[in-house]
mmCIF file of all heavy atoms in Angstrom:
data_model
loop_
_atom_site.group_PDB
_atom_site.id
_atom_site.type_symbol
_atom_site.label_atom_id
_atom_site.label_comp_id
_atom_site.label_asym_id
_atom_site.label_seq_id
_atom_site.Cartn_x
_atom_site.Cartn_y
_atom_site.Cartn_z
ATOM 1 N N GLU A 126 127.822 79.972 112.378
ATOM 2 C CA GLU A 126 126.461 80.315 112.011
ATOM 3 C C GLU A 126 126.151 81.800 112.258
ATOM 4 O O GLU A 126 125.479 82.460 111.455
ATOM 5 C CB GLU A 126 125.516 79.410 112.789
ATOM 6 C CG GLU A 126 124.047 79.491 112.316
ATOM 7 C CD GLU A 126 123.194 78.455 113.069
ATOM 8 O OE1 GLU A 126 123.097 77.320 112.551
ATOM 9 O OE2 GLU A 126 122.670 78.813 114.136
ATOM 10 N N ASP A 127 126.645 82.309 113.372
ATOM 11 C CA ASP A 127 126.450 83.745 113.697
ATOM 12 C C ASP A 127 127.074 84.594 112.575
ATOM 13 O O ASP A 127 126.510 85.589 112.118
ATOM 14 C CB ASP A 127 127.111 84.127 115.029
ATOM 15 C CG ASP A 127 126.368 83.471 116.186
ATOM 16 O OD1 ASP A 127 125.140 83.349 116.179
ATOM 17 O OD2 ASP A 127 127.078 83.114 117.217
ATOM 18 N N TRP A 128 128.296 84.228 112.181
ATOM 19 C CA TRP A 128 129.005 84.954 111.127
ATOM 20 C C TRP A 128 128.230 84.860 109.796
ATOM 21 O O TRP A 128 128.107 85.825 109.081
ATOM 22 C CB TRP A 128 130.412 84.423 110.970
ATOM 23 C CG TRP A 128 131.333 85.028 112.017
ATOM 24 C CD1 TRP A 128 131.688 84.441 113.198
ATOM 25 C CD2 TRP A 128 132.043 86.230 111.918
ATOM 26 N NE1 TRP A 128 132.565 85.313 113.889
ATOM 27 C CE2 TRP A 128 132.807 86.380 113.129
ATOM 28 C CE3 TRP A 128 132.140 87.258 110.982
ATOM 29 C CZ2 TRP A 128 133.599 87.501 113.353
ATOM 30 C CZ3 TRP A 128 132.895 88.369 111.206
ATOM 31 C CH2 TRP A 128 133.640 88.475 112.415
ATOM 32 N N ALA A 129 127.736 83.647 109.490
ATOM 33 C CA ALA A 129 127.024 83.458 108.244
ATOM 34 C C ALA A 129 125.723 84.271 108.268
ATOM 35 O O ALA A 129 125.410 84.926 107.254
ATOM 36 C CB ALA A 129 126.701 81.926 108.061
ATOM 37 N N ASP A 130 125.031 84.321 109.418
ATOM 38 C CA ASP A 130 123.816 85.122 109.481
ATOM 39 C C ASP A 130 124.115 86.590 109.313
ATOM 40 O O ASP A 130 123.388 87.326 108.647
ATOM 41 C CB ASP A 130 123.100 84.845 110.845
ATOM 42 C CG ASP A 130 122.464 83.520 110.880
ATOM 43 O OD1 ASP A 130 122.215 82.881 109.851
ATOM 44 O OD2 ASP A 130 122.129 83.071 112.027
ATOM 45 N N ALA A 131 125.219 87.067 109.915
ATOM 46 C CA ALA A 131 125.602 88.471 109.772
ATOM 47 C C ALA A 131 125.963 88.774 108.324
ATOM 48 O O ALA A 131 125.580 89.841 107.837
ATOM 49 C CB ALA A 131 126.799 88.772 110.685
ATOM 50 N N ALA A 132 126.619 87.875 107.633
ATOM 51 C CA ALA A 132 126.929 88.039 106.212
ATOM 52 C C ALA A 132 125.674 88.163 105.406
ATOM 53 O O ALA A 132 125.520 89.013 104.507
ATOM 54 C CB ALA A 132 127.842 86.956 105.699
ATOM 55 N N LEU A 133 124.698 87.274 105.690
ATOM 56 C CA LEU A 133 123.452 87.320 104.948
ATOM 57 C C LEU A 133 122.679 88.611 105.182
ATOM 58 O O LEU A 133 122.111 89.216 104.260
ATOM 59 C CB LEU A 133 122.554 86.099 105.314
ATOM 60 C CG LEU A 133 123.046 84.757 104.791
ATOM 61 C CD1 LEU A 133 122.210 83.652 105.395
ATOM 62 C CD2 LEU A 133 123.017 84.708 103.283
ATOM 63 N N ALA A 134 122.696 89.069 106.461
ATOM 64 C CA ALA A 134 122.005 90.341 106.771
ATOM 65 C C ALA A 134 122.659 91.487 106.010
ATOM 66 O O ALA A 134 121.974 92.364 105.487
ATOM 67 C CB ALA A 134 122.070 90.581 108.281
ATOM 68 N N ALA A 135 123.996 91.491 105.956
ATOM 69 C CA ALA A 135 124.696 92.537 105.211
ATOM 70 C C ALA A 135 124.322 92.504 103.718
ATOM 71 O O ALA A 135 124.117 93.539 103.113
ATOM 72 C CB ALA A 135 126.213 92.427 105.415
ATOM 73 N N MET A 136 124.302 91.271 103.167
ATOM 74 C CA MET A 136 123.918 91.184 101.740
ATOM 75 C C MET A 136 122.486 91.677 101.523
ATOM 76 O O MET A 136 122.234 92.395 100.561
ATOM 77 C CB MET A 136 123.962 89.716 101.337
ATOM 78 C CG MET A 136 125.341 89.172 101.128
ATOM 79 S SD MET A 136 125.208 87.449 100.467
ATOM 80 C CE MET A 136 126.329 86.629 101.581
ATOM 81 N N ALA A 137 121.586 91.367 102.418
ATOM 82 C CA ALA A 137 120.164 91.784 102.316
ATOM 83 C C ALA A 137 119.989 93.279 102.404
ATOM 84 O O ALA A 137 119.095 93.834 101.768
ATOM 85 C CB ALA A 137 119.341 91.112 103.362
ATOM 86 N N GLU A 138 120.888 93.939 103.117
ATOM 87 C CA GLU A 138 120.715 95.377 103.350
ATOM 88 C C GLU A 138 121.169 96.199 102.152
ATOM 89 O O GLU A 138 121.150 97.411 102.194
ATOM 90 C CB GLU A 138 121.517 95.802 104.584
ATOM 91 C CG GLU A 138 120.852 95.263 105.858
ATOM 92 C CD GLU A 138 121.723 95.397 107.106
ATOM 93 O OE1 GLU A 138 122.878 95.919 106.973
ATOM 94 O OE2 GLU A 138 121.270 94.948 108.169
ATOM 95 N N GLY A 139 121.474 95.546 101.050
ATOM 96 C CA GLY A 139 121.674 96.251 99.818
ATOM 97 C C GLY A 139 123.056 96.177 99.172
ATOM 98 O O GLY A 139 123.261 96.655 98.122
ATOM 99 N N GLY A 140 123.979 95.544 99.862
ATOM 100 C CA GLY A 140 125.283 95.485 99.272
ATOM 101 C C GLY A 140 125.614 94.218 98.510
ATOM 102 O O GLY A 140 126.645 94.103 97.899
ATOM 103 N N GLY A 141 124.735 93.206 98.646
ATOM 104 C CA GLY A 141 125.026 91.945 97.960
ATOM 105 C C GLY A 141 126.360 91.374 98.476
ATOM 106 O O GLY A 141 126.725 91.627 99.617
ATOM 107 N N ALA A 144 129.004 93.542 100.280
ATOM 108 C CA ALA A 144 128.831 93.914 101.700
ATOM 109 C C ALA A 144 129.452 92.925 102.669
ATOM 110 O O ALA A 144 129.483 93.202 103.869
ATOM 111 C CB ALA A 144 127.333 94.043 101.998
ATOM 112 N N VAL A 145 129.962 91.809 102.151
ATOM 113 C CA VAL A 145 130.590 90.805 103.030
ATOM 114 C C VAL A 145 132.070 91.148 103.173
ATOM 115 O O VAL A 145 132.902 90.830 102.356
ATOM 116 C CB VAL A 145 130.399 89.393 102.478
ATOM 117 C CG1 VAL A 145 131.093 88.397 103.444
ATOM 118 C CG2 VAL A 145 128.924 89.082 102.316
ATOM 119 N N LEU A 150 131.680 93.317 109.564
ATOM 120 C CA LEU A 150 130.902 92.246 110.171
ATOM 121 C C LEU A 150 131.336 92.010 111.623
ATOM 122 O O LEU A 150 130.511 91.761 112.481
ATOM 123 C CB LEU A 150 131.012 90.951 109.362
ATOM 124 C CG LEU A 150 130.324 90.955 107.993
ATOM 125 C CD1 LEU A 150 130.598 89.642 107.281
ATOM 126 C CD2 LEU A 150 128.825 91.181 108.125
ATOM 127 N N ARG A 153 129.764 94.717 113.624
ATOM 128 C CA ARG A 153 128.341 94.425 113.729
ATOM 129 C C ARG A 153 128.075 93.345 114.853
ATOM 130 O O ARG A 153 127.129 93.420 115.555
ATOM 131 C CB ARG A 153 127.777 93.922 112.383
ATOM 132 C CG ARG A 153 126.425 93.361 112.426
ATOM 133 C CD ARG A 153 126.045 92.801 111.062
ATOM 134 N NE ARG A 153 124.733 93.229 110.747
ATOM 135 C CZ ARG A 153 124.291 93.671 109.612
ATOM 136 N NH1 ARG A 153 125.086 93.749 108.574
ATOM 137 N NH2 ARG A 153 123.071 94.091 109.474
ATOM 138 N N LEU A 154 128.965 92.380 114.907
ATOM 139 C CA LEU A 154 128.831 91.314 115.899
ATOM 140 C C LEU A 154 129.437 91.622 117.241
ATOM 141 O O LEU A 154 129.324 90.821 118.186
ATOM 142 C CB LEU A 154 129.463 90.006 115.332
ATOM 143 C CG LEU A 154 128.748 89.409 114.132
ATOM 144 C CD1 LEU A 154 129.547 88.319 113.469
ATOM 145 C CD2 LEU A 154 127.358 88.829 114.566
ATOM 146 N N ALA A 175 127.641 81.279 104.233
ATOM 147 C CA ALA A 175 126.423 82.127 104.261
ATOM 148 C C ALA A 175 125.469 81.643 103.204
ATOM 149 O O ALA A 175 124.258 81.506 103.477
ATOM 150 C CB ALA A 175 126.785 83.620 104.028
ATOM 151 N N TRP A 179 121.720 80.123 103.650
ATOM 152 C CA TRP A 179 120.557 80.641 102.956
ATOM 153 C C TRP A 179 119.825 79.491 102.245
ATOM 154 O O TRP A 179 118.610 79.402 102.341
ATOM 155 C CB TRP A 179 120.985 81.733 101.940
ATOM 156 C CG TRP A 179 119.862 82.162 101.058
ATOM 157 C CD1 TRP A 179 118.762 82.952 101.405
ATOM 158 C CD2 TRP A 179 119.678 81.795 99.712
ATOM 159 N NE1 TRP A 179 117.902 83.101 100.339
ATOM 160 C CE2 TRP A 179 118.466 82.413 99.278
ATOM 161 C CE3 TRP A 179 120.357 81.037 98.794
ATOM 162 C CZ2 TRP A 179 117.963 82.302 97.969
ATOM 163 C CZ3 TRP A 179 119.896 80.928 97.520
ATOM 164 C CH2 TRP A 179 118.683 81.503 97.149
ATOM 165 N N ASP A 215 111.613 90.430 102.537
ATOM 166 C CA ASP A 215 112.990 90.065 102.619
ATOM 167 C C ASP A 215 113.736 90.360 101.344
ATOM 168 O O ASP A 215 113.520 89.727 100.293
ATOM 169 C CB ASP A 215 113.085 88.573 102.916
ATOM 170 C CG ASP A 215 114.511 88.090 103.100
ATOM 171 O OD1 ASP A 215 115.427 88.916 103.102
ATOM 172 O OD2 ASP A 215 114.686 86.879 103.250
ATOM 173 N N PRO A 216 114.658 91.350 101.352
ATOM 174 C CA PRO A 216 115.356 91.747 100.133
ATOM 175 C C PRO A 216 116.533 90.839 99.759
ATOM 176 O O PRO A 216 117.178 91.056 98.769
ATOM 177 C CB PRO A 216 115.873 93.136 100.475
ATOM 178 C CG PRO A 216 116.026 93.127 101.955
ATOM 179 C CD PRO A 216 114.966 92.206 102.461
ATOM 180 N N LEU A 217 116.812 89.797 100.575
ATOM 181 C CA LEU A 217 117.987 88.986 100.312
ATOM 182 C C LEU A 217 117.977 88.330 98.954
ATOM 183 O O LEU A 217 118.975 88.294 98.240
ATOM 184 C CB LEU A 217 118.167 87.953 101.443
ATOM 185 C CG LEU A 217 119.419 87.074 101.322
ATOM 186 C CD1 LEU A 217 120.710 87.859 101.216
ATOM 187 C CD2 LEU A 217 119.489 86.069 102.452
ATOM 188 N N SER A 220 118.972 90.641 96.277
ATOM 189 C CA SER A 220 120.401 90.907 96.331
ATOM 190 C C SER A 220 121.178 89.723 95.708
ATOM 191 O O SER A 220 122.168 89.962 94.974
ATOM 192 C CB SER A 220 120.878 91.100 97.770
ATOM 193 O OG SER A 220 120.383 92.342 98.262
#
Side-chain angles (χ1 to χ4, degrees):
E126 189 175 270
D127 293 324
W128 280 94
D130 287 342
L133 290 172
M136 286 184 229
E138 290 167 3
V145 180
L150 290 176
R153 170 186 225 136
L154 291 167
W179 172 74
D215 185 5
L217 181 56
S220 291

